[in-house]
Amino acid sequence: MLNVMRDQSNSVQTKSLPYDVVALVLQGGGALGAYQAGVYEGLHEAGIRPNWLAGISIGALNAAIIAGSPENERVERLREFWETICAYSIEWTAGERLANELPFAFDIKSIRNMLAATRALVHGQPGFFKPRFPPPVWSPFSGDAATSFYDTAPLHQTLERLVDFDRLNSGEIRVSVGAVNVRTGNLTYFDTAECRMGPKHFMASGALPPGFPAVEIEGEHYWDGGVVSNTPLSRVLSGTPSDTLTFQVDLWSAKGRVPYDMMEVSSRQKDIQYSSRTRTVTDQVLQMQKMRQALQRALDKLPESARQDPEIQAIAEMAQHRSHNIVHLIYQTKPHEGHSRDYEFGLSAMRAHWQSGLDDIRRTLADRRTLDPPPPGLGIVTHDIHRRG
């Protein structure tokens, strides 16, 4: 089903896939976004090149790095981005020493993740954000200084350094990122098919309040798209009807156990709040498929003369069968990760997330049937192969 070839530089290139659109849909989730980078590495090594990237928050930042890098440098640019924003802003050697000296009953990974999260809250992260002084509650100024705890100017500099925005806007890959208009409360998508995008568009998609300030674009202010919807799957599936293969990479799982303490409550609340509603979206698409099929049956009953009418031809175009294959990967939270896992920007945690994404997509693609279009009578199929067992 997937045909690939190797050029003289030994890089794998996609020869063909039976779809008009190969989309990569990236959910928001802060530090967990390294999982998405691992998934992309696995797609890249398999010769799969998405031609549409849709992201929210950290997913939007990953999309910017991918689309704004030369094809043979995308994985390394992603790695540089994550190594940059997960570096320690300050070394807490005493804390690390204490973690190593704790009794065996304590989980060292949990302690290290806690230290990474505390570091991020207190000192910020290099190339990403830094704390404001004075804090917003004591700020004598208005605007960003009074409405956010962190300054994201370092992220602007990182994006300018790592992303070629001329390449990103070239049309080689379509990019869509979601943000919320603070004034209207509506979810807005910035899309390279509709406008030229720069660092601010991606920063707007990740401007989660009250940590980060709203980003002003053309007179309007925007917050993180996850405030309204954390998964841009509907953006891809509601576009121009096309045969579409979608890799949806989620960082929060809707399913989970009932909490047993307050820490579990906080963690579970995030899972539910930020998880995708994939079933709702796919049910809507399936209903549209049924409507197209019914419309096509009605058109088949028309005499040939009526079918030449321009309006009937326009309806016939809308009624054409479309195939949707959604390969759904969801990051599986580890036992040592707590409610702060989305801001545990430690290098060890980041590398573990990355490897999880790489392992999951390799396991998924091991079944070649995963990339097959759905049967004509069905029209849409969703795979969750990585979750078996």
Side-chain angles (χ1 to χ4, degrees), residues 26-30 55-62 177-178 202 204-208 224-226 230:
L26 304 174
Q27 195 181 70
I56 297 286
S57 196
I58 196 66
L61 300 182
N62 280 330
V177 299
F202 296 92
S205 183
L208 184 65
D224 191 308
N230 199 37

Side-chain angles (χ1 to χ4, degrees), residues 88 92 111-125 129 150 339-346:
Y88 294 154
W92 288 6
I111 299 299
R112 287 177 175 168
N113 281 12
M114 180 189 68
L115 289 174
T118 305
R119 261 191 296 256
L121 290 176
V122 176
H123 296 283
Q125 289 298 130
F129 58 91
Y150 300 96
H339 75 284
S340 62
R341 59 189 180 277
D342 53 327
Y343 56 94
E344 292 170 356
F345 285 95

Side-chain angles (χ1 to χ4, degrees), residues 58-116:
I58 196 66
L61 300 182
N62 280 330
I65 301 296
I66 295 168
S69 301
E71 183 177 310
N72 62 349
E73 297 179 16
R74 290 171 185 167
V75 174
E76 288 310 311
R77 290 274 185 94
L78 278 173
R79 198 178 306 280
E80 183 177 355
F81 172 71
W82 281 97
E83 294 279 352
T84 296
I85 68 172
C86 289
Y88 294 154
S89 57
I90 184 171
E91 293 293 338
W92 288 6
T93 54
E96 295 285 356
R97 190 180 306 114
L98 175 62
N100 291 325
E101 292 175 356
L102 286 171
F104 182 74
F106 287 85
D107 188 335
I108 299 303
K109 290 182 179 179
S110 296
I111 299 299
R112 287 177 175 168
N113 281 12
M114 180 189 68
L115 289 174

Side-chain angles (χ1 to χ4, degrees), residues 44 59 61 68 113 130 133 151 173 178 222 236 304 308 327 332:
H44 193 85
L61 300 182
N113 281 12
K130 58 184 179 182
F133 184 81
D151 180 358
I173 299 176
Y222 296 92
V236 172
E304 184 62 31
Q308 302 307 313
V327 181
Q332 304 297 293

Side-chain angles (χ1 to χ4, degrees), residues 118-372:
T118 305
R119 261 191 296 256
L121 290 176
V122 176
H123 296 283
Q125 289 298 130
F128 199 171
F129 58 91
K130 58 184 179 182
R132 296 189 184 279
F133 184 81
V137 292
W138 296 328
S139 175
F141 308 105
S142 59
D144 293 351
T147 57
S148 60
F149 287 98
Y150 300 96
D151 180 358
T152 53
L155 176 59
H156 192 285
Q157 297 169 357
T158 298
L159 290 174
E160 287 190 321
R161 178 172 62 87
L162 292 179
V163 179
D164 180 345
F165 284 96
D166 288 335
R167 180 184 294 275
L168 185 147
N169 288 285
S170 68
E172 177 184 356
I173 299 176
R174 181 176 178 179
V175 182
S176 308
V177 299
V180 176
N181 186 308
V182 179
R183 181 180 60 84
T184 66
N186 294 329
L187 181 65
T188 299
Y189 278 97
F190 300 112
D191 197 312
T192 53
E194 302 169 355
C195 67
R196 180 176 176 83
M197 293 168 61
K200 283 190 173 183
H201 296 87
F202 296 92
M203 294 175 66
S205 183
L208 184 65
F212 299 158
V215 176
E216 183 178 358
I217 299 174
E218 297 182 355
E220 295 284 0
H221 291 77
Y222 296 92
W223 274 335
D224 191 308
V227 172
V228 171
S229 176
N230 199 37
T231 306
L233 176 63
S234 59
R235 177 68 175 184
V236 172
L237 297 187
S238 63
T240 302
S242 305
D243 292 336
T244 304
L245 170 63
T246 301
F247 293 93
Q248 180 184 337
V249 190
D250 289 356
L251 305 177
W252 306 95
S253 177
K255 294 182 179 180
R257 68 184 183 186
V258 176
Y260 62 85
D261 60 21
M262 290 305 297
M263 295 292 283
E264 280 273 314
V265 169
S266 177
S267 179
R268 188 72 193 111
Q269 179 187 3
K270 282 186 178 181
D271 279 335
I272 296 172
Q273 180 178 357
Y274 295 119
S275 64
S276 66
R277 300 294 178 263
T278 302
R279 178 56 61 85
T280 300
V281 176
T282 55
D283 284 349
Q284 292 173 349
V285 174
L286 183 58
Q287 185 64 29
M288 286 297 298
Q289 294 285 66
K290 292 180 178 178
M291 290 176 63
R292 287 193 183 100
Q293 292 169 354
L295 190 56
Q296 186 60 59
R297 289 193 295 270
L299 291 172
D300 291 341
K301 297 178 180 179
L302 294 177
E304 184 62 31
S305 59
R307 297 182 192 180
Q308 302 307 313
D309 184 281
E311 292 186 357
I312 297 298
Q313 290 180 344
I315 294 174
E317 174 64 25
M318 295 174 59
Q320 287 186 5
H321 174 79
R322 306 298 181 184
S323 296
H324 295 280
N325 183 351
I326 301 172
V327 181
H328 192 188
L329 296 98
I330 307 174
Y331 175 69
Q332 304 297 293
T333 301
K334 306 299 187 296
H336 61 270
E337 294 176 321
H339 75 284
S340 62
R341 59 189 180 277
D342 53 327
Y343 56 94
E344 292 170 356
F345 285 95
L347 285 170
S348 59
M350 180 275 288
R351 290 165 182 158
H353 296 150
W354 186 303
Q355 189 62 47
S356 292
L358 182 57
D359 291 342
D360 281 353
I361 190 61
R362 283 174 173 171
R363 189 177 307 115
T364 298
L365 295 178
D367 186 344
R368 296 185 178 182
R369 296 172 298 177
T370 302
L371 301 179
D372 290 349

